[in-house]
Structure formats: structure tokens, C-alpha cells
Amino acid sequence: MAKEKERGEKNMFVGFLSNCVSELKILLTALLFLCIIATAVQFLPPRFTFSPSDLRQCLSAISSSSSYSSGKLATPALSPPTEPPSDPPSPPPLAPPPPIQQQQKDQILENGIIKRAFNPYGAAAYNFILMSAYRGGLNTFAVVGLASKPLHLFGHPTYLCEWVPNQTQEQQEMPQPTSTTAHKILPDWGYGRVYTVVVVNCTFPVAVGENGHGGQLFIHASTAGAGDRDLNVTDTIEALIEAPGSLNASLYASSAEPKYDYFYCGSSLYGDLSTERVREWIAYHVKFFGEKSHFVIHDAGGVHSGVLEVLKPWMEKGFVTLQDIREQERFDGYYHNQFLIVNDCLHRYRFMAKWMFFFDVDEYIYVPPKKTIKSVVDSLSEYSQFTIEQIPMSNKLCLSSDAGKAPRKWGFEKLVYRDVKRGIRRDRKYVVQPRNVFATGVHMSQNLAGKTTHKTENMIKYFHYHGTIAEQHEPCRKMVNTTELTFDGRPYVLDTTLRAVAGSVKMFELKQIGPRLQTTHQ
């Protein structure tokens, strides 16, 4: 009985196998396929990965395809038909890889000496960084920029100027370009860091572009083997494009009348500047210089929203131009590249002003009561440049009578103690007739045609409130009631020269722009 039962179970198992033979073949084939995949994965490179999310994507794609083919894919009711997705744009072709530099190897010479190899890579600084280029006459141009300081300090780079005139419809052949060797000027007195300032003067032997057809000015900047004696790298720079009809030749005539009598070229403004001090400075000098004056402010990061608010009324009235020069911070030059900025300002506005002033926003120009700025410059008209004596003022000492109301007073109204320490060489600021100047500096120009005088002490001065422009808090640190004192080891005397004019400056501001700045704070 047990044997028959065992025989029956075997027959049943054999029957089951015979009935499922096709399914077993599929199962075994699938298992074999998975084993092959598992084996192959071990030989794939490490950067190849297959995450569970990839598997889900594959399965969802298969599921979607299966559903669509079986007619079971449903769309939401009342949903409008959608356009099939357009093919994504093909990616741009990859740039060809740079050529592989053939590396030099050390060599053993026949005499047994080992000749060592040196393989240069990259570049430490740019050959030339163009900021601007301006026409200075019918045959001359000025190109302002930065260049590698070691290149100029230890090498002899050269510049070639080329004027390429535009071809007109009447001309059958392309006009011939005109070339000349440039004269380079390094006006930053060696203060440059990675970069130094270069003013490239291009003076052609003949007038170029005088027909009004326009053209292009190119500068060919060559390293002349500096940096690598085996190479003379030359960069061609399109410095200026002069559009047809844009040349105004009368602008360069000696009889042309400039638009402004007095023009201010400011150095780079940076840091967290005091809104109130900027407000006071601009109001004072607009009143001082008068209607035919203009101020160019260069923002190197110092013109925040508060400073812009106090400049805006004067910009709207046409007294102030604000330039954003923050991009120059990319290039490591001296003091936010201020030599670069003042040279650009000089050449950009060279023919728009009779006199151009260079000083800072913590400095106040002053002439004695019986003189005016016009009478002063008229008396100095034989000079291309004159310098201005400094009057240093304390940035901490105030009168005791101002205690409690000092925050409501203007800076030059309450800081009334003058530093009288002797034997100190103090910086001077300067004024030029810009048409006679080829390049300029921060404290004076050394590249000009004509005479310079420093004997101006009885005619014009500037009061210097050092550090106050960056002070966000009340500057009065010590309240005193005396005409003379020594503070921090320095002798001071009471000087209320500018305090006396504060009231008239405030009234002038109110009359010119109204009360919009009355709530300005430190």
C-alpha cells in the first residue's frame, strides 16, 4: 500500500514537470541571464553606477509603454490635448582640447654635464588690461590701462599704434593703415602691485580720420622677450572704434570753449562711507565752484544706498556723474587702482574743462574771503599746474559749547581744531589745465607741457579731516573749551574758518534741492 502511494506521488511530480517544462525553461533562462549580468557588473569601471532610482525609471518607462500598448492609458477628464514635447536643443559642440605641450626633459651632454629643463605653464599676469581710449587731437590718442608690473620693471615691452580707416562706398580699394611707435607713460610712481598703470600715447605723423569716415585704433602690445627670452608675445588690442560722422574736429581747436570752468576727478571711493560727511562735502563744493562745475565720483564699493541717496539730487541737477568701477578690483593694483581711475578721468573729460581738480572727499578747498576761485585760477593761468597746501584738522576735538547738539552739526562745523605740529611734510593736492597734461598722479602730475607752481599758500588751501569720511559714529570724542591744547602728543589751535560758512552752505543746499536730505544721519 505504501509503495503504491509513493509510486503515485512520483508519477504526479513527473506529470507536473512535463506540464511546466516551457515555464521552467523561461525561469532557468532568466536565472542564467541574471547571473551573466551580475558577473559583468564586477568588470565595469568605478565611475559607472546604477542606482535604485535608475531602476525605478526603467520600470516606470516599461510600465508606461505596456499600458499605452494595451489601451489602458487614461487622460484626465476635460483635459485639453497637449502638444508633444519638442526635442531638446542639441548641446554645443565641445571645444577641441588644448594641444599637449611637449615637455622638455633633462639631458646628459657628451661632456657629461647634465642640462636641466624648465617647463613653463600658464601666465602670472595679463600683458595689458584695457580700460579706455580717447582721441586727444586730430593725430593723437591716449590709451589707458594696466599692465604687468614686473614686465615693465624688469623688461622692455613695446607698443605699436595702428589706425585702420573705414572704407567708403566710393573707394575701390581698402585705405592703407597708418602706424607709429607709441610712447608709454608709467604715472603711478612705482606704487603698482601685480599691475602698474600704463598710459599709451599714440601720436601719428599725420592726421588720421579727419575726413569723418571713422576707423579703428589698434594697439600691438609686445613683451619683447620679457618673462621668456625665447618668446616675443604680441597681443593686438582693438582700443577704439570711431563711428563715421562722430568726429567733432572743432573740439580740439585751441579756441574751443570748454563746457565747464571747474571739474572734479575723484579717486576710487571704497569702504563703509559716512552718508552725512558725503552730503556735507558735495553741498559745500557745489556752492564753492558754482554753476559751471561738475563732479565725477568713482564707486569702488563705497557708494552704498545711503551715499547714493545724498548724491542723487545733485545727479538729477546735472552736477554729479557716478561711475561704477568695482570691476577693477579684479586686478591687483595700488589703492583700488586710483592712478588708473584718475588718468581715465583726465583723458575722458580733457576737453570739457578749463581747470581740473584732484583731491579727496575728506578735503575741503578754501580761498580767503577777499578772493574767489575764479580770481585765483585767473592769476595762475600761466601755469599748467599748481598745488594746494594742506590744513590738517583734528577728527576728534570739538567745542564744549557744542555738547548735546554736536550730532545735529555738520562735520566741518564742529571739528574746529587745527594741527600745528611743525617739521612734517604734508601731502598737497593739485589743479591742472587738462589740455596740457598727458598723464597724471594722485598728488600731482609729472607728465605735462608747461610750468608748475607750489607758491599758492596765500591764495588757496584745503582743510583735511582725515578719517572722518569712514567714521559711522559721532566724530566728537573730546569736548574742550580752549584756544590751544596738546592732544595725543600733538599741538592744536582753535580754527573756525569753515565753521563760519556752514550756515550759508546749509541754506544753499536747502535752496537747491529742498528738504529731501534733512533727515540724513551719520
Side-chain angles (χ1 to χ4, degrees):
M1 186 74 178
K3 290 183 178 180
E4 290 179 359
K5 184 176 180 181
E6 184 179 351
R7 189 182 304 115
E9 290 175 354
K10 288 182 180 179
N11 291 338
M12 184 181 299
F13 179 71
V14 172
F16 172 77
L17 290 177
S18 62
N19 291 333
C20 301
V21 65
S22 58
E23 288 81 357
L24 289 173
K25 288 181 180 180
I26 295 174
L27 178 62
L28 292 173
T29 303
L31 290 173
L32 179 61
F33 182 69
L34 289 174
C35 291
I36 293 173
I37 291 177
T39 304
V41 165
Q42 300 181 33
F43 296 96
L44 291 176
R47 63 187 177 188
F48 182 85
T49 59
F50 191 77
S51 66
S53 61
D54 298 327
L55 182 60
R56 285 195 297 271
Q57 277 191 325
C58 291
L59 293 176
S60 62
I62 295 172
S63 174
S64 300
S65 174
S66 174
S67 299
Y68 183 83
S69 63
S70 63
K72 295 180 181 179
L73 183 64
T75 57
L78 303 179
S79 176
T82 58
E83 293 287 336
S86 58
D87 294 334
S90 57
L94 296 175
I100 299 176
Q101 179 177 324
Q102 186 65 38
Q103 193 176 64
Q104 301 295 320
K105 303 292 185 181
D106 291 351
Q107 300 177 31
I108 301 178
L109 305 181
E110 292 181 358
N111 56 7
I113 297 175
I114 301 176
K115 182 180 180 181
R116 303 301 303 274
F118 298 87
N119 294 280
Y121 296 92
Y126 293 108
N127 184 6
F128 193 82
I129 301 167
L130 174 68
M131 181 177 182
S132 54
Y134 304 102
R135 183 183 276 274
L138 296 182
N139 71 325
T140 184
F141 300 83
V143 181
V144 183
L146 297 170
S148 167
K149 182 178 179 179
L151 181 67
H152 286 267
L153 191 60
F154 303 109
H156 302 282
T158 62
Y159 299 95
L160 179 70
C161 306
E162 181 183 24
W163 174 262
V164 179
N166 288 338
Q167 184 178 13
T168 64
Q169 295 180 349
E170 294 79 13
Q171 293 172 315
Q172 299 297 325
E173 298 181 356
M174 186 69 184
Q176 291 298 311
T178 303
S179 299
T180 188
T181 301
H183 172 64
K184 71 173 184 179
I185 304 173
L186 306 178
D188 67 3
W189 302 355
Y191 283 133
R193 290 165 58 86
V194 174
Y195 291 103
T196 190
V197 178
V198 182
V199 177
V200 180
N201 179 275
C202 298
T203 300
F204 295 94
V206 296
V208 293
E210 78 282 5
N211 55 14
H213 295 163
Q216 296 168 284
L217 176 68
F218 291 94
I219 302 296
H220 303 281
S222 300
T223 61
D228 189 336
R229 287 184 296 179
D230 288 347
L231 296 175
N232 182 15
V233 178
T234 299
D235 293 293
T236 298
I237 303 156
E238 185 182 62
L240 179 70
I241 301 176
E242 193 167 82
S246 63
L247 175 64
N248 180 11
S250 64
L251 182 67
Y252 310 105
S254 58
S255 59
E257 185 70 15
K259 181 178 180 180
Y260 302 107
D261 289 338
Y262 315 108
F263 202 96
Y264 171 77
C265 278
S267 293
S268 308
L269 291 186
Y270 62 94
D272 191 11
L273 300 185
S274 166
T275 300
E276 180 63 22
R277 299 292 88 82
V278 175
R279 171 203 176 187
E280 299 160 2
W281 182 91
I282 190 64
Y284 176 93
H285 286 99
V286 171
K287 180 180 184 299
F288 179 83
F289 287 118
E291 290 292 325
K292 293 194 70 176
S293 64
H294 196 77
F295 302 79
V296 175
I297 307 296
H298 296 101
D299 175 22
V303 181
H304 52 76
S305 59
V307 173
L308 180 59
E309 182 182 349
V310 300
L311 291 177
K312 199 69 175 175
W314 303 106
M315 293 168 64
E316 294 169 356
K317 291 186 72 68
F319 283 102
V320 172
T321 294
L322 179 62
Q323 296 184 11
D324 182 345
I325 58 162
R326 302 185 186 200
E327 188 71 9
Q328 54 76 31
E329 295 289 342
R330 293 170 50 196
F331 311 109
D332 186 12
Y334 174 75
Y335 219 69
H336 304 270
N337 286 306
Q338 63 174 335
F339 281 93
L340 173 72
I341 300 309
V342 295
N343 274 280
D344 172 79
C345 190
L346 166 71
H347 288 286
R348 186 180 185 90
Y349 300 104
R350 189 181 184 193
F351 296 94
M352 295 183 68
K354 291 181 180 179
W355 293 93
M356 192 169 279
F357 288 71
F358 297 85
F359 59 101
D360 293 328
V361 290
D362 58 358
E363 299 165 347
Y364 289 72
I365 306 297
Y366 174 79
V367 297
K370 293 184 179 180
K371 296 181 182 294
T372 64
I373 186 61
K374 184 179 186 308
S375 68
V376 170
V377 296
D378 286 349
S379 67
L380 297 169
S381 59
E382 64 179 293
Y383 298 100
S384 295
Q385 174 179 236
F386 65 87
T387 62
I388 310 174
E389 179 189 18
Q390 178 186 162
I391 305 297
M393 300 295 290
S394 169
N395 57 10
K396 296 182 177 68
L397 297 174
C398 298
L399 285 171
S400 298
S401 59
D402 289 340
K405 51 187 177 181
R408 298 193 299 275
K409 291 187 176 294
W410 285 17
F412 63 86
E413 182 182 10
K414 56 193 172 187
L415 294 168
V416 291
Y417 284 90
R418 172 164 49 94
D419 183 345
V420 291
K421 186 172 183 178
R422 298 181 180 274
I424 297 178
R425 181 190 174 276
R426 304 189 188 276
D427 289 334
R428 300 174 74 95
K429 293 303 165 73
Y430 70 106
V431 186
V432 298
Q433 297 192 56
R435 293 187 180 212
N436 299 335
V437 181
F438 310 114
T440 197
V442 174
H443 296 288
M444 67 178 295
S445 170
Q446 292 181 319
N447 305 99
L448 72 163
K451 301 184 297 180
T452 295
T453 182
H454 305 287
K455 298 178 180 180
T456 60
E457 289 81 358
N458 298 323
M459 293 184 282
I460 186 170
K461 303 176 182 180
Y462 76 91
F463 286 79
H464 187 197
Y465 300 85
H466 180 71
T468 57
I469 193 65
E471 178 62 64
Q472 293 295 324
H473 304 288
E474 172 56 44
C476 292
R477 294 290 191 272
K478 185 176 181 61
M479 314 300 287
V480 296
N481 185 23
T482 183
T483 56
E484 297 182 10
L485 78 157
T486 298
F487 179 71
D488 286 345
R490 286 181 176 268
Y492 291 90
V493 298
L494 182 66
D495 188 332
T496 59
T497 303
L498 290 194
R499 181 185 178 93
V501 302
S504 63
V505 176
K506 293 177 182 179
M507 291 299 296
F508 172 79
E509 182 200 62
L510 186 62
K511 181 180 178 180
Q512 289 290 318
I513 62 175
R516 57 194 295 185
L517 301 182
Q518 296 300 306
T519 58
T520 303
H521 299 294
Q522 298 288 344

